[in-house]
Amino acid sequence: MAMSMRRTLVALHRVTFNRLKNADTSLDVQHPGPLFLQVRTKKRYFIPPVVGLKGKRTEDPEAKAKAAGIVFRQQYFERPINVACTAGVFDPYIPPEGDARLSTLSKEGLKQRTEQIRQSATSQLAIRKIKEHDSQFSTKAFAEQAQEIFTEAHNALTQFNKEKLHSLVTERCYPEMTRGNRYKTIHWKFVESLEVPRVVHARCPDMVTKGNLYGQVTVRMHSKQTLSIYDRFGRLLLGSEEQPKDVLEYLVIERHLINPYGRWRLHAKIVPSWAPAKDPVVKTVCIPGPELKPWQEFDTLNYEVPKPAAVQWYK
């Protein structure tokens, strides 16, 4: 009897459990969450994100490459250098003493001419190298082109046109032309050419590496020019606008030959040792007058200019 009662109770429990199970699946009944939650063991603070970190990788690529067995290439942080011109004049031309004064018919003039012909062998080799990179190069046409570069550069200097001046002179020649001209007014004019300009010297040096060629051509130019320089108060410091002077100059024109966009620019001037000294610059100074009281008047006729005391200068 007892065994039969137990069997009936177990059967009833199974029936009720199956009914409840079918009812939950049909009605989609969700059971409540667990009664016990995890206790927070430490206090958490809000850390704002770093500004500008979005989109950037925080991983170390070098460490990742080493872990994968890849050799990470070493990075060199070097600035590129563009050597657009040479630092000076390579094998400068030495002008003969008395040039533009001695006639070729005289004995000394013939000696100078024969010496120039002997030294022209190296120049011919350099001109041949220049023609390999510049097929349109010609000594006759280049002398006239050098004279045009010279006049345009000095006109740009008087107008303070920096952009044009940079395109006509090299980086070595630019500070030499513009040094000390900030508060001055320059008036320069090319009057005429006394002799036809000609090429007297040519060299083709290489710098830094072999094959990095620079062409340097020296042009002799004898012309008439006028030059006058005024200070910031309009006072004449040097020269005159009305009296032209005969000027004999040896211009060094340079070009970076292996650069396809290179152009001929004024690089330097050769000043011979026998050249006459330049005219001194007349500087104007302000001599202070006497200290007058409010009721006194300055009398220019009876005022004597004080003479400065003698000072011994040491070089």
Side-chain angles (χ1 to χ4, degrees):
M1 188 72 180
M3 289 294 291
S4 61
M5 287 291 290
R6 285 179 184 176
R7 290 175 182 173
T8 53
L9 287 172
V10 169
L12 287 171
H13 279 296
R14 286 178 180 175
V15 170
T16 53
F17 178 75
N18 292 331
R19 285 180 180 177
L20 289 171
K21 188 177 180 180
N22 295 331
D24 288 345
T25 53
S26 60
L27 297 175
D28 197 14
V29 178
Q30 295 182 357
H31 295 282
L35 299 176
F36 301 98
L37 299 175
Q38 294 181 358
V39 181
R40 297 175 67 180
T41 56
K42 61 181 179 179
K43 197 171 183 181
R44 300 178 185 273
Y45 296 95
F46 172 72
I47 301 173
V50 181
V51 179
L53 196 63
K54 188 178 180 181
K56 293 185 179 179
R57 295 182 178 179
T58 57
E59 300 177 358
D60 188 7
E62 188 173 356
K64 199 172 182 180
K66 283 182 179 180
I70 302 170
V71 179
F72 198 84
R73 186 178 178 181
Q74 189 177 0
Q75 295 182 1
Y76 297 95
F77 297 97
E78 296 179 356
R79 294 182 178 179
I81 299 173
N82 180 23
V83 185
C85 69
T86 57
V89 182
F90 182 81
D91 191 10
Y93 173 70
I94 300 173
E97 189 174 355
D99 195 6
R101 295 178 184 176
L102 297 177
S103 175
T104 54
L105 300 175
S106 63
K107 187 176 180 181
E108 294 180 355
L110 284 171
K111 284 183 179 179
Q112 290 180 3
R113 187 62 181 167
T114 52
E115 187 67 25
Q116 288 177 1
I117 293 170
R118 287 177 184 176
Q119 294 180 356
S120 63
T122 312
S123 298
Q124 292 297 328
L125 293 173
I127 289 170
R128 192 179 299 174
K129 275 188 180 180
I130 292 170
K131 286 183 178 180
E132 289 177 2
H133 295 83
D134 187 4
S135 58
Q136 297 179 357
F137 181 83
S138 173
T139 53
K140 292 182 180 179
F142 181 78
E144 297 177 358
Q145 182 185 354
Q147 187 172 344
E148 292 177 2
I149 292 170
F150 173 79
T151 54
E152 288 180 8
H154 281 74
N155 288 329
L157 179 64
T158 57
Q159 298 169 4
F160 292 96
N161 192 347
K162 296 181 180 180
E163 290 77 10
K164 189 175 181 180
L165 191 60
H166 271 294
S167 64
L168 294 169
V169 301
T170 59
E171 286 75 12
R172 178 190 177 275
C173 184
Y174 181 82
E176 293 182 358
M177 290 185 67
T178 58
R179 188 182 293 117
N181 299 336
R182 186 173 183 182
Y183 299 108
K184 295 174 184 175
T185 305
I186 303 171
H187 293 282
W188 180 87
K189 185 180 179 182
F190 183 84
V191 181
E192 62 178 349
S193 182
L194 298 176
E195 292 184 36
V196 178
R198 68 173 190 269
V199 175
V200 294
H201 192 72
R203 289 294 182 270
C204 193
D206 51 359
M207 197 169 63
V208 182
T209 57
K210 192 175 181 180
N212 189 24
L213 297 175
Y214 293 84
Q216 291 185 353
V217 182
T218 306
V219 179
R220 178 187 178 276
M221 194 175 74
H222 192 201
S223 60
K224 269 190 178 182
Q225 304 172 14
T226 58
L227 175 66
S228 57
I229 302 174
Y230 299 87
D231 62 358
R232 57 180 176 174
F233 302 108
R235 300 168 184 149
L236 183 65
L237 294 177
L238 180 68
S240 173
E241 292 188 40
E242 298 177 356
Q243 297 179 356
K245 285 189 175 183
D246 298 350
V247 183
L248 178 64
E249 292 176 314
Y250 299 91
L251 312 175
V252 180
I253 314 296
E254 188 185 83
R255 178 184 173 181
H256 194 192
L257 295 177
I258 64 171
N259 185 8
Y261 303 103
R263 55 189 303 179
W264 292 101
R265 296 185 295 174
L266 183 63
H267 185 62
K269 286 184 183 180
I270 296 174
V271 181
S273 58
W274 46 264
K278 294 182 179 180
D279 297 336
V281 177
V282 181
K283 293 185 178 180
T284 56
V285 294
C286 178
I287 301 174
E291 295 182 1
L292 300 175
K293 294 181 180 180
W295 59 85
Q296 292 180 343
E297 293 183 0
F298 179 71
D299 190 3
T300 56
L301 299 176
N302 298 328
Y303 178 72
E304 294 182 359
V305 179
K307 294 182 179 180
V311 180
Q312 180 66 37
W313 295 94
Y314 296 94
K315 290 185 179 179

mmCIF file with all atom_site columns, all heavy atoms in Angstrom, residues 62-72:
data_model
loop_
_atom_site.group_PDB
_atom_site.id
_atom_site.type_symbol
_atom_site.label_atom_id
_atom_site.label_alt_id
_atom_site.label_comp_id
_atom_site.label_asym_id
_atom_site.label_entity_id
_atom_site.label_seq_id
_atom_site.pdbx_PDB_ins_code
_atom_site.Cartn_x
_atom_site.Cartn_y
_atom_site.Cartn_z
_atom_site.occupancy
_atom_site.B_iso_or_equiv
_atom_site.pdbx_formal_charge
_atom_site.auth_seq_id
_atom_site.auth_comp_id
_atom_site.auth_asym_id
_atom_site.auth_atom_id
_atom_site.pdbx_PDB_model_num
ATOM 1  N N   . GLU A 1 62 ? 58.077 48.114 -32.621 1.00 0.00 ? 62 GLU A N   1
ATOM 2  C CA  . GLU A 1 62 ? 59.389 47.475 -32.537 1.00 0.00 ? 62 GLU A CA  1
ATOM 3  C C   . GLU A 1 62 ? 59.324 46.210 -31.673 1.00 0.00 ? 62 GLU A C   1
ATOM 4  O O   . GLU A 1 62 ? 59.899 45.176 -32.033 1.00 0.00 ? 62 GLU A O   1
ATOM 5  C CB  . GLU A 1 62 ? 60.403 48.463 -31.964 1.00 0.00 ? 62 GLU A CB  1
ATOM 6  C CG  . GLU A 1 62 ? 61.826 47.970 -32.021 1.00 0.00 ? 62 GLU A CG  1
ATOM 7  C CD  . GLU A 1 62 ? 62.814 49.044 -31.610 1.00 0.00 ? 62 GLU A CD  1
ATOM 8  O OE1 . GLU A 1 62 ? 62.389 50.185 -31.366 1.00 0.00 ? 62 GLU A OE1 1
ATOM 9  O OE2 . GLU A 1 62 ? 64.013 48.714 -31.517 1.00 0.00 ? 62 GLU A OE2 1
ATOM 10 N N   . ALA A 1 63 ? 58.619 46.287 -30.536 1.00 0.00 ? 63 ALA A N   1
ATOM 11 C CA  . ALA A 1 63 ? 58.486 45.112 -29.667 1.00 0.00 ? 63 ALA A CA  1
ATOM 12 C C   . ALA A 1 63 ? 57.667 44.018 -30.343 1.00 0.00 ? 63 ALA A C   1
ATOM 13 O O   . ALA A 1 63 ? 57.957 42.823 -30.206 1.00 0.00 ? 63 ALA A O   1
ATOM 14 C CB  . ALA A 1 63 ? 57.843 45.524 -28.350 1.00 0.00 ? 63 ALA A CB  1
ATOM 15 N N   . LYS A 1 64 ? 56.652 44.427 -31.109 1.00 0.00 ? 64 LYS A N   1
ATOM 16 C CA  . LYS A 1 64 ? 55.826 43.459 -31.822 1.00 0.00 ? 64 LYS A CA  1
ATOM 17 C C   . LYS A 1 64 ? 56.628 42.744 -32.903 1.00 0.00 ? 64 LYS A C   1
ATOM 18 O O   . LYS A 1 64 ? 56.485 41.534 -33.127 1.00 0.00 ? 64 LYS A O   1
ATOM 19 C CB  . LYS A 1 64 ? 54.632 44.190 -32.432 1.00 0.00 ? 64 LYS A CB  1
ATOM 20 C CG  . LYS A 1 64 ? 53.482 43.267 -32.804 1.00 0.00 ? 64 LYS A CG  1
ATOM 21 C CD  . LYS A 1 64 ? 52.278 44.081 -33.205 1.00 0.00 ? 64 LYS A CD  1
ATOM 22 C CE  . LYS A 1 64 ? 51.112 43.175 -33.541 1.00 0.00 ? 64 LYS A CE  1
ATOM 23 N NZ  . LYS A 1 64 ? 49.923 43.963 -33.941 1.00 0.00 ? 64 LYS A NZ  1
ATOM 24 N N   . ALA A 1 65 ? 57.513 43.495 -33.584 1.00 0.00 ? 65 ALA A N   1
ATOM 25 C CA  . ALA A 1 65 ? 58.346 42.892 -34.627 1.00 0.00 ? 65 ALA A CA  1
ATOM 26 C C   . ALA A 1 65 ? 59.368 41.928 -34.023 1.00 0.00 ? 65 ALA A C   1
ATOM 27 O O   . ALA A 1 65 ? 59.658 40.875 -34.591 1.00 0.00 ? 65 ALA A O   1
ATOM 28 C CB  . ALA A 1 65 ? 59.048 43.985 -35.422 1.00 0.00 ? 65 ALA A CB  1
ATOM 29 N N   . LYS A 1 66 ? 59.941 42.301 -32.864 1.00 0.00 ? 66 LYS A N   1
ATOM 30 C CA  . LYS A 1 66 ? 60.902 41.407 -32.206 1.00 0.00 ? 66 LYS A CA  1
ATOM 31 C C   . LYS A 1 66 ? 60.236 40.112 -31.753 1.00 0.00 ? 66 LYS A C   1
ATOM 32 O O   . LYS A 1 66 ? 60.823 39.033 -31.832 1.00 0.00 ? 66 LYS A O   1
ATOM 33 C CB  . LYS A 1 66 ? 61.523 42.118 -31.014 1.00 0.00 ? 66 LYS A CB  1
ATOM 34 C CG  . LYS A 1 66 ? 62.578 43.137 -31.399 1.00 0.00 ? 66 LYS A CG  1
ATOM 35 C CD  . LYS A 1 66 ? 63.188 43.767 -30.167 1.00 0.00 ? 66 LYS A CD  1
ATOM 36 C CE  . LYS A 1 66 ? 64.268 44.771 -30.557 1.00 0.00 ? 66 LYS A CE  1
ATOM 37 N NZ  . LYS A 1 66 ? 64.867 45.404 -29.359 1.00 0.00 ? 66 LYS A NZ  1
ATOM 38 N N   . ALA A 1 67 ? 58.985 40.212 -31.251 1.00 0.00 ? 67 ALA A N   1
ATOM 39 C CA  . ALA A 1 67 ? 58.266 39.015 -30.820 1.00 0.00 ? 67 ALA A CA  1
ATOM 40 C C   . ALA A 1 67 ? 57.963 38.099 -32.005 1.00 0.00 ? 67 ALA A C   1
ATOM 41 O O   . ALA A 1 67 ? 57.943 36.870 -31.877 1.00 0.00 ? 67 ALA A O   1
ATOM 42 C CB  . ALA A 1 67 ? 56.976 39.414 -30.112 1.00 0.00 ? 67 ALA A CB  1
ATOM 43 N N   . ALA A 1 68 ? 57.729 38.691 -33.183 1.00 0.00 ? 68 ALA A N   1
ATOM 44 C CA  . ALA A 1 68 ? 57.447 37.902 -34.377 1.00 0.00 ? 68 ALA A CA  1
ATOM 45 C C   . ALA A 1 68 ? 58.718 37.403 -35.060 1.00 0.00 ? 68 ALA A C   1
ATOM 46 O O   . ALA A 1 68 ? 58.636 36.654 -36.036 1.00 0.00 ? 68 ALA A O   1
ATOM 47 C CB  . ALA A 1 68 ? 56.630 38.716 -35.368 1.00 0.00 ? 68 ALA A CB  1
ATOM 48 N N   . GLY A 1 69 ? 59.892 37.829 -34.565 1.00 0.00 ? 69 GLY A N   1
ATOM 49 C CA  . GLY A 1 69 ? 61.150 37.388 -35.153 1.00 0.00 ? 69 GLY A CA  1
ATOM 50 C C   . GLY A 1 69 ? 61.570 38.167 -36.370 1.00 0.00 ? 69 GLY A C   1
ATOM 51 O O   . GLY A 1 69 ? 62.352 37.692 -37.192 1.00 0.00 ? 69 GLY A O   1
ATOM 52 N N   . ILE A 1 70 ? 61.060 39.406 -36.519 1.00 0.00 ? 70 ILE A N   1
ATOM 53 C CA  . ILE A 1 70 ? 61.386 40.248 -37.666 1.00 0.00 ? 70 ILE A CA  1
ATOM 54 C C   . ILE A 1 70 ? 62.416 41.285 -37.222 1.00 0.00 ? 70 ILE A C   1
ATOM 55 O O   . ILE A 1 70 ? 62.288 41.887 -36.157 1.00 0.00 ? 70 ILE A O   1
ATOM 56 C CB  . ILE A 1 70 ? 60.128 40.950 -38.230 1.00 0.00 ? 70 ILE A CB  1
ATOM 57 C CG1 . ILE A 1 70 ? 59.084 39.887 -38.623 1.00 0.00 ? 70 ILE A CG1 1
ATOM 58 C CG2 . ILE A 1 70 ? 60.475 41.831 -39.419 1.00 0.00 ? 70 ILE A CG2 1
ATOM 59 C CD1 . ILE A 1 70 ? 57.738 40.471 -38.963 1.00 0.00 ? 70 ILE A CD1 1
ATOM 60 N N   . VAL A 1 71 ? 63.428 41.507 -38.061 1.00 0.00 ? 71 VAL A N   1
ATOM 61 C CA  . VAL A 1 71 ? 64.452 42.494 -37.751 1.00 0.00 ? 71 VAL A CA  1
ATOM 62 C C   . VAL A 1 71 ? 63.881 43.878 -38.035 1.00 0.00 ? 71 VAL A C   1
ATOM 63 O O   . VAL A 1 71 ? 63.518 44.200 -39.171 1.00 0.00 ? 71 VAL A O   1
ATOM 64 C CB  . VAL A 1 71 ? 65.719 42.245 -38.586 1.00 0.00 ? 71 VAL A CB  1
ATOM 65 C CG1 . VAL A 1 71 ? 66.779 43.308 -38.267 1.00 0.00 ? 71 VAL A CG1 1
ATOM 66 C CG2 . VAL A 1 71 ? 66.263 40.850 -38.306 1.00 0.00 ? 71 VAL A CG2 1
ATOM 67 N N   . PHE A 1 72 ? 63.812 44.698 -36.984 1.00 0.00 ? 72 PHE A N   1
ATOM 68 C CA  . PHE A 1 72 ? 63.245 46.041 -37.123 1.00 0.00 ? 72 PHE A CA  1
ATOM 69 C C   . PHE A 1 72 ? 64.327 46.979 -37.638 1.00 0.00 ? 72 PHE A C   1
ATOM 70 O O   . PHE A 1 72 ? 65.419 47.072 -37.063 1.00 0.00 ? 72 PHE A O   1
ATOM 71 C CB  . PHE A 1 72 ? 62.714 46.522 -35.763 1.00 0.00 ? 72 PHE A CB  1
ATOM 72 C CG  . PHE A 1 72 ? 61.754 47.668 -35.872 1.00 0.00 ? 72 PHE A CG  1
ATOM 73 C CD1 . PHE A 1 72 ? 60.424 47.436 -36.129 1.00 0.00 ? 72 PHE A CD1 1
ATOM 74 C CD2 . PHE A 1 72 ? 62.185 48.968 -35.747 1.00 0.00 ? 72 PHE A CD2 1
ATOM 75 C CE1 . PHE A 1 72 ? 59.522 48.486 -36.226 1.00 0.00 ? 72 PHE A CE1 1
ATOM 76 C CE2 . PHE A 1 72 ? 61.300 50.020 -35.848 1.00 0.00 ? 72 PHE A CE2 1
ATOM 77 C CZ  . PHE A 1 72 ? 59.969 49.780 -36.083 1.00 0.00 ? 72 PHE A CZ  1
#
